[in-house]
Amino acid sequence: MSARGHAFGIDIGGSGVKGAAVDLSTGELVHERIKIPTPQPATPQAIAGTVADLVTEAGWDGPVGLTLPAVVIDGTARTAANIDKAWIGTDARALFSDALGGRPVTVLNDADAAGLAEDRYGAAKDFAGPVILLTFGTGIGSALLYHGMLVPNTELGHIEIGGMSCEHRAAASVKERDDLSYAQWATEVGIALTALEDLFFPTVFVAGGGISREADQWIPLLTNRTPVIPAHLRNTAGIVGAAMAVEGGITP
Ligand code: BGC
């Protein structure tokens, strides 16, 4: 199955590999998303097997877009901050294409995919000017967009602030690990956002990741100057952005 105006996106995360066909005219999933637990250890070969199973289960025979929580340049993963180190230097595009019978695939950073989706269909669609999406999870992912154009692989979560990497002070995992209250954690997030807005002057920050579901508990506590809005697409942004990358021929 593959239909005009539809593309297939797969979001590869630490706990699940999630995928669905996406209607690119609306940004909506065409069917319920399929989720398969991420194999452990999450080596390239193991993930490629899961990706093949997912696409077979969906009965999809067209091109596929995939995300990785890594810098991806010309289809090859270049970093692995929170994933199996075996990914560094892996030609993910060739790996997934082989696993999917030689069909074309597009691979991009997970936060870049979420940013593309939120910029076109979600929280940032009505904002002019530069948009920065940040995903708060195990680490902090980032996407920088201007009028729908993505600057790939920004890795703002790794900017050093006060002698510490941004994600080591303000990822959602830090809140959990140190048992911080929302107020304590929001202080750290505010410091990170202030540093970023002083460098990029975005029109808006979009906050993604699981903790954006509890946005009302911590966004009102932030003291930085740029508006922060929660992501709209929630757990489908990565899938939708991956599908957009297929259509757009985005090959960071
Ligand atoms: C990685 C990014 C990724 C982010 C969210 C960071 O640790 O360096 O590439 O986008 O985590 O998964």
Side-chain angles (χ1 to χ4, degrees), residues 114-128 131-133 204-208 228-234 237:
L116 284 170
E118 292 290 346
D119 189 63
R120 188 189 293 176
Y121 306 108
K125 76 176 181 345
D126 298 324
F127 285 83
V131 170
I132 293 180
L133 167 127
V204 67
F205 284 111
V206 179
V228 181
I229 54 175
H232 283 183
L233 298 168
R234 304 278 160 86

mmCIF file with all atom_site columns, all heavy atoms in Angstrom, residues 114-128 131-133 204-208 228-234 237:
data_model
loop_
_atom_site.group_PDB
_atom_site.id
_atom_site.type_symbol
_atom_site.label_atom_id
_atom_site.label_alt_id
_atom_site.label_comp_id
_atom_site.label_asym_id
_atom_site.label_entity_id
_atom_site.label_seq_id
_atom_site.pdbx_PDB_ins_code
_atom_site.Cartn_x
_atom_site.Cartn_y
_atom_site.Cartn_z
_atom_site.occupancy
_atom_site.B_iso_or_equiv
_atom_site.pdbx_formal_charge
_atom_site.auth_seq_id
_atom_site.auth_comp_id
_atom_site.auth_asym_id
_atom_site.auth_atom_id
_atom_site.pdbx_PDB_model_num
ATOM 1   N N   . ALA A 1 114 ? 10.442 16.570 14.560 1.00 0.00 ? 114 ALA A N   1
ATOM 2   C CA  . ALA A 1 114 ? 9.361  17.154 15.366 1.00 0.00 ? 114 ALA A CA  1
ATOM 3   C C   . ALA A 1 114 ? 9.188  18.635 15.040 1.00 0.00 ? 114 ALA A C   1
ATOM 4   O O   . ALA A 1 114 ? 8.064  19.147 14.948 1.00 0.00 ? 114 ALA A O   1
ATOM 5   C CB  . ALA A 1 114 ? 9.657  16.956 16.848 1.00 0.00 ? 114 ALA A CB  1
ATOM 6   N N   . GLY A 1 115 ? 10.310 19.317 14.826 1.00 0.00 ? 115 GLY A N   1
ATOM 7   C CA  . GLY A 1 115 ? 10.245 20.741 14.498 1.00 0.00 ? 115 GLY A CA  1
ATOM 8   C C   . GLY A 1 115 ? 9.556  20.984 13.161 1.00 0.00 ? 115 GLY A C   1
ATOM 9   O O   . GLY A 1 115 ? 8.726  21.893 13.033 1.00 0.00 ? 115 GLY A O   1
ATOM 10  N N   . LEU A 1 116 ? 9.885  20.183 12.172 1.00 0.00 ? 116 LEU A N   1
ATOM 11  C CA  . LEU A 1 116 ? 9.228  20.329 10.859 1.00 0.00 ? 116 LEU A CA  1
ATOM 12  C C   . LEU A 1 116 ? 7.713  20.197 11.013 1.00 0.00 ? 116 LEU A C   1
ATOM 13  O O   . LEU A 1 116 ? 6.940  20.971 10.446 1.00 0.00 ? 116 LEU A O   1
ATOM 14  C CB  . LEU A 1 116 ? 9.719  19.233 9.896  1.00 0.00 ? 116 LEU A CB  1
ATOM 15  C CG  . LEU A 1 116 ? 11.109 19.385 9.290  1.00 0.00 ? 116 LEU A CG  1
ATOM 16  C CD1 . LEU A 1 116 ? 11.508 18.098 8.562  1.00 0.00 ? 116 LEU A CD1 1
ATOM 17  C CD2 . LEU A 1 116 ? 11.163 20.569 8.325  1.00 0.00 ? 116 LEU A CD2 1
ATOM 18  N N   . ALA A 1 117 ? 7.308  19.184 11.797 1.00 0.00 ? 117 ALA A N   1
ATOM 19  C CA  . ALA A 1 117 ? 5.870  18.910 11.947 1.00 0.00 ? 117 ALA A CA  1
ATOM 20  C C   . ALA A 1 117 ? 5.163  20.019 12.723 1.00 0.00 ? 117 ALA A C   1
ATOM 21  O O   . ALA A 1 117 ? 4.092  20.492 12.324 1.00 0.00 ? 117 ALA A O   1
ATOM 22  C CB  . ALA A 1 117 ? 5.684  17.565 12.651 1.00 0.00 ? 117 ALA A CB  1
ATOM 23  N N   . GLU A 1 118 ? 5.773  20.471 13.820 1.00 0.00 ? 118 GLU A N   1
ATOM 24  C CA  . GLU A 1 118 ? 5.122  21.525 14.616 1.00 0.00 ? 118 GLU A CA  1
ATOM 25  C C   . GLU A 1 118 ? 5.088  22.842 13.849 1.00 0.00 ? 118 GLU A C   1
ATOM 26  O O   . GLU A 1 118 ? 4.174  23.638 14.008 1.00 0.00 ? 118 GLU A O   1
ATOM 27  C CB  . GLU A 1 118 ? 5.845  21.716 15.957 1.00 0.00 ? 118 GLU A CB  1
ATOM 28  C CG  . GLU A 1 118 ? 5.708  20.545 16.915 1.00 0.00 ? 118 GLU A CG  1
ATOM 29  C CD  . GLU A 1 118 ? 4.304  20.374 17.503 1.00 0.00 ? 118 GLU A CD  1
ATOM 30  O OE1 . GLU A 1 118 ? 3.486  21.300 17.394 1.00 0.00 ? 118 GLU A OE1 1
ATOM 31  O OE2 . GLU A 1 118 ? 4.051  19.292 18.058 1.00 0.00 ? 118 GLU A OE2 1
ATOM 32  N N   . ASP A 1 119 ? 6.085  23.076 13.020 1.00 0.00 ? 119 ASP A N   1
ATOM 33  C CA  . ASP A 1 119 ? 6.144  24.319 12.257 1.00 0.00 ? 119 ASP A CA  1
ATOM 34  C C   . ASP A 1 119 ? 5.067  24.350 11.169 1.00 0.00 ? 119 ASP A C   1
ATOM 35  O O   . ASP A 1 119 ? 4.461  25.376 10.913 1.00 0.00 ? 119 ASP A O   1
ATOM 36  C CB  . ASP A 1 119 ? 7.538  24.469 11.639 1.00 0.00 ? 119 ASP A CB  1
ATOM 37  C CG  . ASP A 1 119 ? 7.740  25.838 11.020 1.00 0.00 ? 119 ASP A CG  1
ATOM 38  O OD1 . ASP A 1 119 ? 7.697  26.827 11.769 1.00 0.00 ? 119 ASP A OD1 1
ATOM 39  O OD2 . ASP A 1 119 ? 7.936  25.929 9.793  1.00 0.00 ? 119 ASP A OD2 1
ATOM 40  N N   . ARG A 1 120 ? 4.828  23.203 10.527 1.00 0.00 ? 120 ARG A N   1
ATOM 41  C CA  . ARG A 1 120 ? 3.848  23.221 9.442  1.00 0.00 ? 120 ARG A CA  1
ATOM 42  C C   . ARG A 1 120 ? 2.408  22.993 9.916  1.00 0.00 ? 120 ARG A C   1
ATOM 43  O O   . ARG A 1 120 ? 1.474  23.625 9.435  1.00 0.00 ? 120 ARG A O   1
ATOM 44  C CB  . ARG A 1 120 ? 4.178  22.165 8.384  1.00 0.00 ? 120 ARG A CB  1
ATOM 45  C CG  . ARG A 1 120 ? 3.260  22.349 7.165  1.00 0.00 ? 120 ARG A CG  1
ATOM 46  C CD  . ARG A 1 120 ? 3.338  21.254 6.143  1.00 0.00 ? 120 ARG A CD  1
ATOM 47  N NE  . ARG A 1 120 ? 4.617  21.196 5.460  1.00 0.00 ? 120 ARG A NE  1
ATOM 48  C CZ  . ARG A 1 120 ? 4.911  20.241 4.561  1.00 0.00 ? 120 ARG A CZ  1
ATOM 49  N NH1 . ARG A 1 120 ? 4.027  19.308 4.251  1.00 0.00 ? 120 ARG A NH1 1
ATOM 50  N NH2 . ARG A 1 120 ? 6.094  20.223 3.981  1.00 0.00 ? 120 ARG A NH2 1
ATOM 51  N N   . TYR A 1 121 ? 2.229  22.047 10.843 1.00 0.00 ? 121 TYR A N   1
ATOM 52  C CA  . TYR A 1 121 ? 0.860  21.661 11.220 1.00 0.00 ? 121 TYR A CA  1
ATOM 53  C C   . TYR A 1 121 ? 0.492  21.996 12.665 1.00 0.00 ? 121 TYR A C   1
ATOM 54  O O   . TYR A 1 121 ? -0.670 21.920 13.029 1.00 0.00 ? 121 TYR A O   1
ATOM 55  C CB  . TYR A 1 121 ? 0.675  20.143 11.082 1.00 0.00 ? 121 TYR A CB  1
ATOM 56  C CG  . TYR A 1 121 ? 1.036  19.571 9.745  1.00 0.00 ? 121 TYR A CG  1
ATOM 57  C CD1 . TYR A 1 121 ? 2.185  18.804 9.597  1.00 0.00 ? 121 TYR A CD1 1
ATOM 58  C CD2 . TYR A 1 121 ? 0.215  19.777 8.631  1.00 0.00 ? 121 TYR A CD2 1
ATOM 59  C CE1 . TYR A 1 121 ? 2.520  18.241 8.370  1.00 0.00 ? 121 TYR A CE1 1
ATOM 60  C CE2 . TYR A 1 121 ? 0.542  19.219 7.407  1.00 0.00 ? 121 TYR A CE2 1
ATOM 61  C CZ  . TYR A 1 121 ? 1.696  18.460 7.280  1.00 0.00 ? 121 TYR A CZ  1
ATOM 62  O OH  . TYR A 1 121 ? 2.010  17.915 6.075  1.00 0.00 ? 121 TYR A OH  1
ATOM 63  N N   . GLY A 1 122 ? 1.483  22.273 13.511 1.00 0.00 ? 122 GLY A N   1
ATOM 64  C CA  . GLY A 1 122 ? 1.204  22.299 14.949 1.00 0.00 ? 122 GLY A CA  1
ATOM 65  C C   . GLY A 1 122 ? 1.334  23.644 15.601 1.00 0.00 ? 122 GLY A C   1
ATOM 66  O O   . GLY A 1 122 ? 0.866  24.674 15.082 1.00 0.00 ? 122 GLY A O   1
ATOM 67  N N   . ALA A 1 123 ? 2.031  23.646 16.724 1.00 0.00 ? 123 ALA A N   1
ATOM 68  C CA  . ALA A 1 123 ? 2.056  24.797 17.623 1.00 0.00 ? 123 ALA A CA  1
ATOM 69  C C   . ALA A 1 123 ? 2.603  26.063 16.980 1.00 0.00 ? 123 ALA A C   1
ATOM 70  O O   . ALA A 1 123 ? 2.176  27.164 17.306 1.00 0.00 ? 123 ALA A O   1
ATOM 71  C CB  . ALA A 1 123 ? 2.900  24.441 18.846 1.00 0.00 ? 123 ALA A CB  1
ATOM 72  N N   . ALA A 1 124 ? 3.560  25.927 16.050 1.00 0.00 ? 124 ALA A N   1
ATOM 73  C CA  . ALA A 1 124 ? 4.242  27.126 15.530 1.00 0.00 ? 124 ALA A CA  1
ATOM 74  C C   . ALA A 1 124 ? 3.689  27.565 14.183 1.00 0.00 ? 124 ALA A C   1
ATOM 75  O O   . ALA A 1 124 ? 4.232  28.491 13.569 1.00 0.00 ? 124 ALA A O   1
ATOM 76  C CB  . ALA A 1 124 ? 5.742  26.838 15.418 1.00 0.00 ? 124 ALA A CB  1
ATOM 77  N N   . LYS A 1 125 ? 2.596  26.967 13.740 1.00 0.00 ? 125 LYS A N   1
ATOM 78  C CA  . LYS A 1 125 ? 2.192  27.230 12.346 1.00 0.00 ? 125 LYS A CA  1
ATOM 79  C C   . LYS A 1 125 ? 1.776  28.673 12.089 1.00 0.00 ? 125 LYS A C   1
ATOM 80  O O   . LYS A 1 125 ? 1.891  29.144 10.963 1.00 0.00 ? 125 LYS A O   1
ATOM 81  C CB  . LYS A 1 125 ? 1.148  26.230 11.866 1.00 0.00 ? 125 LYS A CB  1
ATOM 82  C CG  . LYS A 1 125 ? -0.242 26.403 12.347 1.00 0.00 ? 125 LYS A CG  1
ATOM 83  C CD  . LYS A 1 125 ? -1.072 25.344 11.631 1.00 0.00 ? 125 LYS A CD  1
ATOM 84  C CE  . LYS A 1 125 ? -2.535 25.293 11.905 1.00 0.00 ? 125 LYS A CE  1
ATOM 85  N NZ  . LYS A 1 125 ? -3.103 25.964 13.005 1.00 0.00 ? 125 LYS A NZ  1
ATOM 86  N N   . ASP A 1 126 ? 1.345  29.374 13.113 1.00 0.00 ? 126 ASP A N   1
ATOM 87  C CA  . ASP A 1 126 ? 0.905  30.755 12.881 1.00 0.00 ? 126 ASP A CA  1
ATOM 88  C C   . ASP A 1 126 ? 1.944  31.798 13.285 1.00 0.00 ? 126 ASP A C   1
ATOM 89  O O   . ASP A 1 126 ? 1.646  32.992 13.351 1.00 0.00 ? 126 ASP A O   1
ATOM 90  C CB  . ASP A 1 126 ? -0.405 31.011 13.633 1.00 0.00 ? 126 ASP A CB  1
ATOM 91  C CG  . ASP A 1 126 ? -1.510 30.105 13.114 1.00 0.00 ? 126 ASP A CG  1
ATOM 92  O OD1 . ASP A 1 126 ? -1.527 29.837 11.891 1.00 0.00 ? 126 ASP A OD1 1
ATOM 93  O OD2 . ASP A 1 126 ? -2.324 29.642 13.933 1.00 0.00 ? 126 ASP A OD2 1
ATOM 94  N N   . PHE A 1 127 ? 3.151  31.341 13.584 1.00 0.00 ? 127 PHE A N   1
ATOM 95  C CA  . PHE A 1 127 ? 4.191  32.286 13.995 1.00 0.00 ? 127 PHE A CA  1
ATOM 96  C C   . PHE A 1 127 ? 5.143  32.611 12.849 1.00 0.00 ? 127 PHE A C   1
ATOM 97  O O   . PHE A 1 127 ? 5.655  31.706 12.194 1.00 0.00 ? 127 PHE A O   1
ATOM 98  C CB  . PHE A 1 127 ? 5.013  31.709 15.154 1.00 0.00 ? 127 PHE A CB  1
ATOM 99  C CG  . PHE A 1 127 ? 4.295  31.731 16.468 1.00 0.00 ? 127 PHE A CG  1
ATOM 100 C CD1 . PHE A 1 127 ? 3.395  30.734 16.797 1.00 0.00 ? 127 PHE A CD1 1
ATOM 101 C CD2 . PHE A 1 127 ? 4.504  32.764 17.374 1.00 0.00 ? 127 PHE A CD2 1
ATOM 102 C CE1 . PHE A 1 127 ? 2.722  30.749 18.011 1.00 0.00 ? 127 PHE A CE1 1
ATOM 103 C CE2 . PHE A 1 127 ? 3.835  32.791 18.587 1.00 0.00 ? 127 PHE A CE2 1
ATOM 104 C CZ  . PHE A 1 127 ? 2.941  31.784 18.907 1.00 0.00 ? 127 PHE A CZ  1
ATOM 105 N N   . ALA A 1 128 ? 5.355  33.899 12.608 1.00 0.00 ? 128 ALA A N   1
ATOM 106 C CA  . ALA A 1 128 ? 6.388  34.284 11.643 1.00 0.00 ? 128 ALA A CA  1
ATOM 107 C C   . ALA A 1 128 ? 7.693  34.387 12.438 1.00 0.00 ? 128 ALA A C   1
ATOM 108 O O   . ALA A 1 128 ? 7.680  34.435 13.657 1.00 0.00 ? 128 ALA A O   1
ATOM 109 C CB  . ALA A 1 128 ? 6.039  35.627 11.023 1.00 0.00 ? 128 ALA A CB  1
ATOM 110 N N   . VAL A 1 131 ? 11.734 29.968 14.763 1.00 0.00 ? 131 VAL A N   1
ATOM 111 C CA  . VAL A 1 131 ? 11.082 29.105 15.749 1.00 0.00 ? 131 VAL A CA  1
ATOM 112 C C   . VAL A 1 131 ? 12.131 28.128 16.267 1.00 0.00 ? 131 VAL A C   1
ATOM 113 O O   . VAL A 1 131 ? 12.881 27.559 15.470 1.00 0.00 ? 131 VAL A O   1
ATOM 114 C CB  . VAL A 1 131 ? 9.931  28.309 15.078 1.00 0.00 ? 131 VAL A CB  1
ATOM 115 C CG1 . VAL A 1 131 ? 9.403  27.223 16.007 1.00 0.00 ? 131 VAL A CG1 1
ATOM 116 C CG2 . VAL A 1 131 ? 8.819  29.236 14.621 1.00 0.00 ? 131 VAL A CG2 1
ATOM 117 N N   . ILE A 1 132 ? 12.182 27.963 17.569 1.00 0.00 ? 132 ILE A N   1
ATOM 118 C CA  . ILE A 1 132 ? 13.052 26.910 18.127 1.00 0.00 ? 132 ILE A CA  1
ATOM 119 C C   . ILE A 1 132 ? 12.166 25.921 18.873 1.00 0.00 ? 132 ILE A C   1
ATOM 120 O O   . ILE A 1 132 ? 11.410 26.299 19.780 1.00 0.00 ? 132 ILE A O   1
ATOM 121 C CB  . ILE A 1 132 ? 14.109 27.486 19.092 1.00 0.00 ? 132 ILE A CB  1
ATOM 122 C CG1 . ILE A 1 132 ? 15.109 28.360 18.314 1.00 0.00 ? 132 ILE A CG1 1
ATOM 123 C CG2 . ILE A 1 132 ? 14.860 26.349 19.805 1.00 0.00 ? 132 ILE A CG2 1
ATOM 124 C CD1 . ILE A 1 132 ? 16.208 28.975 19.170 1.00 0.00 ? 132 ILE A CD1 1
ATOM 125 N N   . LEU A 1 133 ? 12.223 24.657 18.435 1.00 0.00 ? 133 LEU A N   1
ATOM 126 C CA  . LEU A 1 133 ? 11.546 23.598 19.169 1.00 0.00 ? 133 LEU A CA  1
ATOM 127 C C   . LEU A 1 133 ? 12.589 22.880 20.016 1.00 0.00 ? 133 LEU A C   1
ATOM 128 O O   . LEU A 1 133 ? 13.691 22.611 19.543 1.00 0.00 ? 133 LEU A O   1
ATOM 129 C CB  . LEU A 1 133 ? 10.891 22.611 18.205 1.00 0.00 ? 133 LEU A CB  1
ATOM 130 C CG  . LEU A 1 133 ? 10.423 21.309 18.876 1.00 0.00 ? 133 LEU A CG  1
ATOM 131 C CD1 . LEU A 1 133 ? 8.966  21.011 18.567 1.00 0.00 ? 133 LEU A CD1 1
ATOM 132 C CD2 . LEU A 1 133 ? 11.283 20.128 18.486 1.00 0.00 ? 133 LEU A CD2 1
ATOM 133 N N   . VAL A 1 204 ? 9.391  32.367 19.053 1.00 0.00 ? 204 VAL A N   1
ATOM 134 C CA  . VAL A 1 204 ? 8.692  31.492 19.991 1.00 0.00 ? 204 VAL A CA  1
ATOM 135 C C   . VAL A 1 204 ? 9.526  30.237 20.228 1.00 0.00 ? 204 VAL A C   1
ATOM 136 O O   . VAL A 1 204 ? 10.279 29.806 19.349 1.00 0.00 ? 204 VAL A O   1
ATOM 137 C CB  . VAL A 1 204 ? 7.280  31.141 19.422 1.00 0.00 ? 204 VAL A CB  1
ATOM 138 C CG1 . VAL A 1 204 ? 7.377  30.285 18.166 1.00 0.00 ? 204 VAL A CG1 1
ATOM 139 C CG2 . VAL A 1 204 ? 6.393  30.470 20.448 1.00 0.00 ? 204 VAL A CG2 1
ATOM 140 N N   . PHE A 1 205 ? 9.398  29.682 21.429 1.00 0.00 ? 205 PHE A N   1
ATOM 141 C CA  . PHE A 1 205 ? 9.934  28.351 21.710 1.00 0.00 ? 205 PHE A CA  1
ATOM 142 C C   . PHE A 1 205 ? 8.756  27.372 21.737 1.00 0.00 ? 205 PHE A C   1
ATOM 143 O O   . PHE A 1 205 ? 7.722  27.667 22.356 1.00 0.00 ? 205 PHE A O   1
ATOM 144 C CB  . PHE A 1 205 ? 10.579 28.286 23.106 1.00 0.00 ? 205 PHE A CB  1
ATOM 145 C CG  . PHE A 1 205 ? 11.930 28.941 23.218 1.00 0.00 ? 205 PHE A CG  1
ATOM 146 C CD1 . PHE A 1 205 ? 12.087 30.104 23.955 1.00 0.00 ? 205 PHE A CD1 1
ATOM 147 C CD2 . PHE A 1 205 ? 13.053 28.366 22.618 1.00 0.00 ? 205 PHE A CD2 1
ATOM 148 C CE1 . PHE A 1 205 ? 13.340 30.699 24.093 1.00 0.00 ? 205 PHE A CE1 1
ATOM 149 C CE2 . PHE A 1 205 ? 14.313 28.963 22.748 1.00 0.00 ? 205 PHE A CE2 1
ATOM 150 C CZ  . PHE A 1 205 ? 14.454 30.133 23.476 1.00 0.00 ? 205 PHE A CZ  1
ATOM 151 N N   . VAL A 1 206 ? 8.909  26.236 21.101 1.00 0.00 ? 206 VAL A N   1
ATOM 152 C CA  . VAL A 1 206 ? 7.918  25.166 21.230 1.00 0.00 ? 206 VAL A CA  1
ATOM 153 C C   . VAL A 1 206 ? 8.536  24.091 22.120 1.00 0.00 ? 206 VAL A C   1
ATOM 154 O O   . VAL A 1 206 ? 9.653  23.636 21.860 1.00 0.00 ? 206 VAL A O   1
ATOM 155 C CB  . VAL A 1 206 ? 7.546  24.564 19.860 1.00 0.00 ? 206 VAL A CB  1
ATOM 156 C CG1 . VAL A 1 206 ? 6.531  23.440 20.032 1.00 0.00 ? 206 VAL A CG1 1
ATOM 157 C CG2 . VAL A 1 206 ? 7.006  25.647 18.927 1.00 0.00 ? 206 VAL A CG2 1
ATOM 158 N N   . ALA A 1 207 ? 7.802  23.720 23.172 1.00 0.00 ? 207 ALA A N   1
ATOM 159 C CA  . ALA A 1 207 ? 8.305  22.709 24.107 1.00 0.00 ? 207 ALA A CA  1
ATOM 160 C C   . ALA A 1 207 ? 7.676  21.364 23.800 1.00 0.00 ? 207 ALA A C   1
ATOM 161 O O   . ALA A 1 207 ? 6.461  21.207 23.844 1.00 0.00 ? 207 ALA A O   1
ATOM 162 C CB  . ALA A 1 207 ? 7.969  23.121 25.539 1.00 0.00 ? 207 ALA A CB  1
ATOM 163 N N   . GLY A 1 208 ? 8.517  20.400 23.449 1.00 0.00 ? 208 GLY A N   1
ATOM 164 C CA  . GLY A 1 208 ? 8.019  19.057 23.154 1.00 0.00 ? 208 GLY A CA  1
ATOM 165 C C   . GLY A 1 208 ? 8.583  18.044 24.138 1.00 0.00 ? 208 GLY A C   1
ATOM 166 O O   . GLY A 1 208 ? 9.239  18.407 25.114 1.00 0.00 ? 208 GLY A O   1
ATOM 167 N N   . VAL A 1 228 ? 6.749  30.666 25.354 1.00 0.00 ? 228 VAL A N   1
ATOM 168 C CA  . VAL A 1 228 ? 6.986  29.217 25.256 1.00 0.00 ? 228 VAL A CA  1
ATOM 169 C C   . VAL A 1 228 ? 5.622  28.559 25.133 1.00 0.00 ? 228 VAL A C   1
ATOM 170 O O   . VAL A 1 228 ? 4.738  28.792 25.965 1.00 0.00 ? 228 VAL A O   1
ATOM 171 C CB  . VAL A 1 228 ? 7.702  28.683 26.521 1.00 0.00 ? 228 VAL A CB  1
ATOM 172 C CG1 . VAL A 1 228 ? 7.975  27.181 26.389 1.00 0.00 ? 228 VAL A CG1 1
ATOM 173 C CG2 . VAL A 1 228 ? 8.997  29.448 26.784 1.00 0.00 ? 228 VAL A CG2 1
ATOM 174 N N   . ILE A 1 229 ? 5.427  27.782 24.077 1.00 0.00 ? 229 ILE A N   1
ATOM 175 C CA  . ILE A 1 229 ? 4.128  27.113 23.918 1.00 0.00 ? 229 ILE A CA  1
ATOM 176 C C   . ILE A 1 229 ? 4.350  25.606 23.816 1.00 0.00 ? 229 ILE A C   1
ATOM 177 O O   . ILE A 1 229 ? 5.359  25.154 23.274 1.00 0.00 ? 229 ILE A O   1
ATOM 178 C CB  . ILE A 1 229 ? 3.362  27.628 22.670 1.00 0.00 ? 229 ILE A CB  1
ATOM 179 C CG1 . ILE A 1 229 ? 4.235  27.524 21.413 1.00 0.00 ? 229 ILE A CG1 1
ATOM 180 C CG2 . ILE A 1 229 ? 2.901  29.051 22.872 1.00 0.00 ? 229 ILE A CG2 1
ATOM 181 C CD1 . ILE A 1 229 ? 3.497  27.889 20.146 1.00 0.00 ? 229 ILE A CD1 1
ATOM 182 N N   . PRO A 1 230 ? 3.412  24.823 24.344 1.00 0.00 ? 230 PRO A N   1
ATOM 183 C CA  . PRO A 1 230 ? 3.596  23.375 24.270 1.00 0.00 ? 230 PRO A CA  1
ATOM 184 C C   . PRO A 1 230 ? 3.370  22.852 22.854 1.00 0.00 ? 230 PRO A C   1
ATOM 185 O O   . PRO A 1 230 ? 2.582  23.420 22.090 1.00 0.00 ? 230 PRO A O   1
ATOM 186 C CB  . PRO A 1 230 ? 2.527  22.823 25.219 1.00 0.00 ? 230 PRO A CB  1
ATOM 187 C CG  . PRO A 1 230 ? 1.558  23.921 25.434 1.00 0.00 ? 230 PRO A CG  1
ATOM 188 C CD  . PRO A 1 230 ? 2.210  25.220 25.086 1.00 0.00 ? 230 PRO A CD  1
ATOM 189 N N   . ALA A 1 231 ? 4.082  21.800 22.512 1.00 0.00 ? 231 ALA A N   1
ATOM 190 C CA  . ALA A 1 231 ? 3.880  21.155 21.212 1.00 0.00 ? 231 ALA A CA  1
ATOM 191 C C   . ALA A 1 231 ? 2.429  20.682 21.109 1.00 0.00 ? 231 ALA A C   1
ATOM 192 O O   . ALA A 1 231 ? 1.807  20.334 22.109 1.00 0.00 ? 231 ALA A O   1
ATOM 193 C CB  . ALA A 1 231 ? 4.832  19.975 21.093 1.00 0.00 ? 231 ALA A CB  1
ATOM 194 N N   . HIS A 1 232 ? 1.882  20.696 19.906 1.00 0.00 ? 232 HIS A N   1
ATOM 195 C CA  . HIS A 1 232 ? 0.495  20.249 19.711 1.00 0.00 ? 232 HIS A CA  1
ATOM 196 C C   . HIS A 1 232 ? 0.415  18.785 19.335 1.00 0.00 ? 232 HIS A C   1
ATOM 197 O O   . HIS A 1 232 ? -0.535 18.098 19.649 1.00 0.00 ? 232 HIS A O   1
ATOM 198 C CB  . HIS A 1 232 ? -0.170 21.044 18.574 1.00 0.00 ? 232 HIS A CB  1
ATOM 199 C CG  . HIS A 1 232 ? -0.579 22.415 18.964 1.00 0.00 ? 232 HIS A CG  1
ATOM 200 N ND1 . HIS A 1 232 ? -1.244 23.272 18.123 1.00 0.00 ? 232 HIS A ND1 1
ATOM 201 C CD2 . HIS A 1 232 ? -0.401 23.102 20.114 1.00 0.00 ? 232 HIS A CD2 1
ATOM 202 C CE1 . HIS A 1 232 ? -1.462 24.413 18.730 1.00 0.00 ? 232 HIS A CE1 1
ATOM 203 N NE2 . HIS A 1 232 ? -0.946 24.341 19.936 1.00 0.00 ? 232 HIS A NE2 1
ATOM 204 N N   . LEU A 1 233 ? 1.400  18.352 18.547 1.00 0.00 ? 233 LEU A N   1
ATOM 205 C CA  . LEU A 1 233 ? 1.256  17.020 17.957 1.00 0.00 ? 233 LEU A CA  1
ATOM 206 C C   . LEU A 1 233 ? 1.622  15.906 18.932 1.00 0.00 ? 233 LEU A C   1
ATOM 207 O O   . LEU A 1 233 ? 1.409  14.742 18.647 1.00 0.00 ? 233 LEU A O   1
ATOM 208 C CB  . LEU A 1 233 ? 2.091  16.915 16.676 1.00 0.00 ? 233 LEU A CB  1
ATOM 209 C CG  . LEU A 1 233 ? 1.648  17.887 15.585 1.00 0.00 ? 233 LEU A CG  1
ATOM 210 C CD1 . LEU A 1 233 ? 2.663  17.966 14.460 1.00 0.00 ? 233 LEU A CD1 1
ATOM 211 C CD2 . LEU A 1 233 ? 0.309  17.460 14.988 1.00 0.00 ? 233 LEU A CD2 1
ATOM 212 N N   . ARG A 1 234 ? 2.161  16.302 20.068 1.00 0.00 ? 234 ARG A N   1
ATOM 213 C CA  . ARG A 1 234 ? 2.483  15.326 21.103 1.00 0.00 ? 234 ARG A CA  1
ATOM 214 C C   . ARG A 1 234 ? 3.262  14.148 20.542 1.00 0.00 ? 234 ARG A C   1
ATOM 215 O O   . ARG A 1 234 ? 4.265  14.328 19.914 1.00 0.00 ? 234 ARG A O   1
ATOM 216 C CB  . ARG A 1 234 ? 1.178  14.849 21.789 1.00 0.00 ? 234 ARG A CB  1
ATOM 217 C CG  . ARG A 1 234 ? 0.363  15.980 22.362 1.00 0.00 ? 234 ARG A CG  1
ATOM 218 C CD  . ARG A 1 234 ? 0.934  16.354 23.750 1.00 0.00 ? 234 ARG A CD  1
ATOM 219 N NE  . ARG A 1 234 ? 0.557  17.682 24.176 1.00 0.00 ? 234 ARG A NE  1
ATOM 220 C CZ  . ARG A 1 234 ? -0.546 18.000 24.809 1.00 0.00 ? 234 ARG A CZ  1
ATOM 221 N NH1 . ARG A 1 234 ? -1.432 17.063 25.084 1.00 0.00 ? 234 ARG A NH1 1
ATOM 222 N NH2 . ARG A 1 234 ? -0.761 19.239 25.179 1.00 0.00 ? 234 ARG A NH2 1
ATOM 223 N N   . ALA A 1 237 ? 4.582  13.860 16.487 1.00 0.00 ? 237 ALA A N   1
ATOM 224 C CA  . ALA A 1 237 ? 5.384  14.847 15.747 1.00 0.00 ? 237 ALA A CA  1
ATOM 225 C C   . ALA A 1 237 ? 6.553  14.197 15.007 1.00 0.00 ? 237 ALA A C   1
ATOM 226 O O   . ALA A 1 237 ? 6.840  14.545 13.851 1.00 0.00 ? 237 ALA A O   1
ATOM 227 C CB  . ALA A 1 237 ? 5.889  15.939 16.686 1.00 0.00 ? 237 ALA A CB  1
#
